[in-house]
Amino acid sequence: MTSSFKAALVIAAKDIRSQFRKPFEVFAMFLFALIAILAFAFGMGGVVDPEIGSAMVWVIIFLTGMFGFAPIFLSEVETGTLRGISIAPIPAWAVYIGKVIYGFFMMGVVEIFLLPMTMLLFGFAFDPFDPFLYAIFVVGTLDLAAVGSMASALTMPSESKATIFPLVYFPTATSAIILLIELTRGLVVGPGLITLGFLLQLLIGHLIAMITISAVIFQYALTS
Amino acid sequence: MRPHRIVLYLITAIIGVLYIYMTWIYAPPEATLGESIRIFFQHVAPALTAYTAFGVTLICGILYLWRQDIRIDVLGGASIKLGLLFTTITLLTGMQWADATWGVPWNWDPRETTTLILWIAYACLWVYRASVNDREVKAQFGSIFSIVAFPAVVLSYLSIHIWNTLHPIVITPTGLQMGIEHGLTMMVSMITILLLYVILLELTYRVDSSEEMLLEYRMTRS
């Protein structure tokens, strides 16, 4: 168990190191997010209600994920390294968890820059001392990395990978996105009928379910 | 035609006639909703049948990964199509009912929205399966996708309990929240639509299996 988890960390570290050799990719994700902010701001006539602006954060992160999570496994297919990973003496779930950690790291880096930018341009503010804020962003990003990695793995055998990835990513990520939008809106304008604690519990439940199910069934994707 | 199939068709036809009678004649107008309650019977049963169809797809996905039997995957694929059909009926009758009750066909109510998401999610699964050429890989990855897509069904079902909604909560842990005539009519509509689903599933499965055999034959010849 411990050695498998170490293997997951090694895979994540390998991907992060490769990413550092191509820093323009993370910057490209950030630019894509910025373009999305501008597009939404144009669509709403330049004046964005804080309630809508805060909800938009996750819509932009979701769209950026379409751009960022797709290569998680597809790059392994393109470079021909997938076979090496699949025959390595480590359990399949360790490969999946390694990719989730890498996806979480990559999206986390983008969010560090994206979040202040979104608050500034959309004119709303989160309380930086609110522990809920950090819990929501950590759990939410981990959840999106979990479903994004699985979506990338599922896209591998498709004949039209670029078209299919968003179609796989959307159904798996939507439940989390809806909860995240509710949570973030609650942070800015106050909770509605449901407490933020309950929504966060639902989100954590979703994360645990997605990671567990994906880790268990991932071996079938890797052996195909 | 096999005898069990004739019996199933006959039972469905008899209950179907009863369903039409109960929906349009037996069930009285509701105190608040009036005559529009009749749309309700055409709306709830397809919705629950769509959940059942996607549940069958989930079970087929799990079973395929366990047994690696292509027939299970064909059945799961057939159930996706029927789930989409019944979700489409649910959305259309829901819009009709919303228009009659609230004056607008679509108002982004949580149940409406999550049902649309459900339709899109399984349409994506359908398109995804079509985009994979290798038959076994399609079954393997399609099964995985059907498992990870299932939370969309859970979200759609639980949406009226999570969010504030215009949608009435009829099915509760204590039973059906409606009068006896309406409750009976809804039960008959449920049975009819479920039987129709079973018949359609069997027919779709047979057509899809024949297509599979034809494809295999062509592959062997080429």
Side-chain angles (χ1 to χ4, degrees), chain A residues 28-30 32-40 55-70 107 110-111 114 144 165-166 169-170 173 177:
Chain A
M29 280 170 71
F30 175 70
F32 178 83
L34 201 59
I35 292 165
I37 293 174
L38 285 174
F40 284 127
M56 281 297 172
V57 171
W58 285 107
V59 176
I60 292 162
I61 293 171
F62 172 71
L63 293 175
T64 311
M66 280 190 189
F67 195 59
F69 294 135
M107 190 52 88
V110 174
E111 282 173 18
L114 175 69
L144 290 185
F165 179 79
Y169 179 51
F170 173 80
I177 285 295

Side-chain angles (χ1 to χ4, degrees), chain B residues 42-55 57 78-96 106 111-124 126 150 152-153 156-157 167 193 197 200:
Chain B
Q42 336 291 333
H43 174 67
V44 178
L48 294 175
T49 308
Y51 293 153
T52 309
F54 295 138
T57 304
S79 201
I80 294 172
K81 292 178 200 170
L82 294 175
L84 281 171
L85 171 73
F86 286 110
T87 313
T88 308
I89 295 170
T90 306
L91 284 168
L92 292 175
T93 51
M95 285 164 76
Q96 203 181 5
W106 194 268
R111 178 51 74 77
E112 279 180 340
T113 312
T114 51
T115 307
L116 182 61
I117 289 171
L118 181 69
W119 189 91
I120 296 171
Y122 279 86
C124 288
W126 190 30
F150 194 72
V153 177
S156 173
Y157 183 73
H167 203 279
I193 303 294
Y197 163 71
L200 287 172

Side-chain angles (χ1 to χ4, degrees), chain A residues 168-182:
Chain A
V168 183
Y169 179 51
F170 173 80
T172 47
T174 310
S175 317
I177 285 295
I178 291 173
L179 289 172
L180 285 164
I181 287 173
E182 283 293 318

Side-chain angles (χ1 to χ4, degrees), chain A residues 78-98:
Chain A
E78 282 164 11
T79 53
T81 48
L82 187 71
R83 180 151 174 78
I85 287 179
S86 63
I87 57 170
I90 48 169
W93 67 261
V95 176
Y96 171 72
I97 296 292

Side-chain angles (χ1 to χ4, degrees), chain A residues 3 8 10-12 15 26 38 42-43 56 58 85-86 90 93 96-97 109 122 124 128 147 150 204-205 213 216 219:
Chain A
S3 63
V10 168
I11 287 172
D15 283 343
V26 176
L38 285 174
F42 290 152
M56 281 297 172
W58 285 107
I85 287 179
S86 63
I90 48 169
W93 67 261
Y96 171 72
I97 296 292
V109 170
F122 280 172
F124 69 92
V147 294
M150 195 65 212
I204 292 170
I213 294 169
V216 169
Q219 56 170 316

Side-chain angles (χ1 to χ4, degrees), chain B residues 114-221:
Chain B
T114 51
T115 307
L116 182 61
I117 289 171
L118 181 69
W119 189 91
I120 296 171
Y122 279 86
C124 288
L125 174 54
W126 190 30
V127 173
Y128 171 77
R129 285 172 60 91
S131 81
V132 182
N133 280 344
D134 187 294
R135 187 62 192 89
E136 281 181 13
V137 174
K138 179 200 281 195
Q140 187 97 331
F141 279 71
S143 299
I144 298 172
F145 194 172
S146 70
I147 296 168
V148 291
F150 194 72
V153 177
V154 181
L155 183 78
S156 173
Y157 183 73
L158 291 180
S159 61
I160 52 172
H161 300 284
I162 299 175
W163 288 282
N164 191 17
T165 176
L166 293 166
H167 203 279
I169 300 172
V170 176
I171 303 167
T172 64
T174 51
L176 289 173
Q177 301 301 309
M178 53 174 58
I180 185 82
E181 294 100 334
H182 293 144
L184 274 173
T185 309
M186 207 182 94
M187 277 172 66
V188 171
S189 71
M190 261 316 301
I191 295 166
T192 313
I193 303 294
L194 271 173
L195 283 171
L196 272 176
Y197 163 71
V198 172
I199 290 171
L200 287 172
L201 184 65
E202 204 235 351
L203 290 173
T204 315
Y205 172 77
R206 282 166 62 197
V207 171
D208 289 357
S209 298
S210 306
E211 267 182 19
E212 292 283 338
M213 283 162 67
L214 192 65
L215 201 68
E216 207 172 308
Y217 175 71
R218 278 185 189 151
M219 293 281 279
T220 320
R221 287 207 58 179

